[in-house]
Amino acid sequence: MNMKRVIIVGTMIVTMSFAGTAWGRSAISPIPLTKWSIVNIDTKDESEDELLSALNQHSEDDLVQDLYAGKSLRMIADENAGDFNEVVALQIRQLKEQLDQRLASGSISAEQHAVQSSELEELVTESANTAYSFA
C-alpha cells in the first residue's frame, strides 16, 4: 500500500473521530464540575441537597471550599455536626443506582455488577474518610 495514502487516510480518520465527539458541545464548561460529583446540569438534583443536609453544610460553595482545603467528608461532617453515616449511605445508594442502570443497559455483566456492588461500602467509606490535597 502507498505510504502517502496510509498517512492521508489515517489523518482523516483521526480528524473525523475528534470532530465527531466535539460537535454540539463546548470544550469549555461554564459550570465547573468536580470529580466527586455527578450532577445533571439541566435540572436541580435533589441528591445535592441530601448531601448538604447530611453534612450540615449551608451551600455547595462551602462544601467545595472545605474539600479543596483538604478536608475529608468525615472531617466536614464532624466539624458541622453532620451525619457521617448518612453521607456514606447516600453515596452507596447513588452508586448502587448507577450500577443497576449499567447492568440494565448491558454495559456490565451480572458478575461485574455483583463484584462491584459488594465493594461499594468499603470503597465509599474509605474515600469519605480520606482527605485529598488539591494544592
Side-chain angles (χ1 to χ4, degrees), residues 16-86:
M16 286 189 290
S17 65
F18 285 131
T21 59
W23 286 331
R25 296 188 271 179
S26 172
I28 301 173
S29 174
I31 300 171
L33 299 175
T34 56
K35 69 179 182 180
W36 58 84
S37 172
I38 300 173
V39 177
N40 184 352
I41 297 171
D42 299 329
T43 61
K44 175 120 174 83
D45 190 3
E46 292 180 16
S47 63
E48 184 179 345
D49 294 336
E50 289 180 71
L51 179 61
L52 292 177
S53 177
L55 289 169
N56 201 19
Q57 285 277 350
H58 300 290
S59 71
E60 187 176 341
D61 290 340
D62 293 340
L63 174 58
V64 170
Q65 287 177 353
D66 285 346
L67 290 170
Y68 190 76
K71 296 179 183 177
S72 69
L73 290 176
R74 176 177 288 286
M75 294 165 75
I76 295 168
D78 290 347
E79 289 176 0
N80 296 297
D83 185 353
F84 178 74
N85 292 328
E86 178 59 28

Side-chain angles (χ1 to χ4, degrees), residues 66-131:
D66 285 346
L67 290 170
Y68 190 76
K71 296 179 183 177
S72 69
L73 290 176
R74 176 177 288 286
M75 294 165 75
I76 295 168
D78 290 347
E79 289 176 0
N80 296 297
D83 185 353
F84 178 74
N85 292 328
E86 178 59 28
V87 170
V88 171
L90 173 65
Q91 290 186 331
I92 291 171
R93 187 171 59 248
Q94 290 173 342
L95 289 171
K96 179 75 171 123
E97 287 172 7
Q98 289 178 11
L99 282 175
D100 292 346
Q101 289 171 354
R102 292 179 64 201
L103 177 64
S105 72
S107 65
I108 61 172
S109 69
E111 293 81 23
Q112 289 172 317
H113 180 271
V115 169
Q116 291 177 9
S117 293
S118 69
E119 296 173 342
L120 280 180
E121 185 173 351
E122 180 183 347
L123 291 173
V124 168
T125 302
E126 181 181 332
S127 175
N129 280 303
T130 303

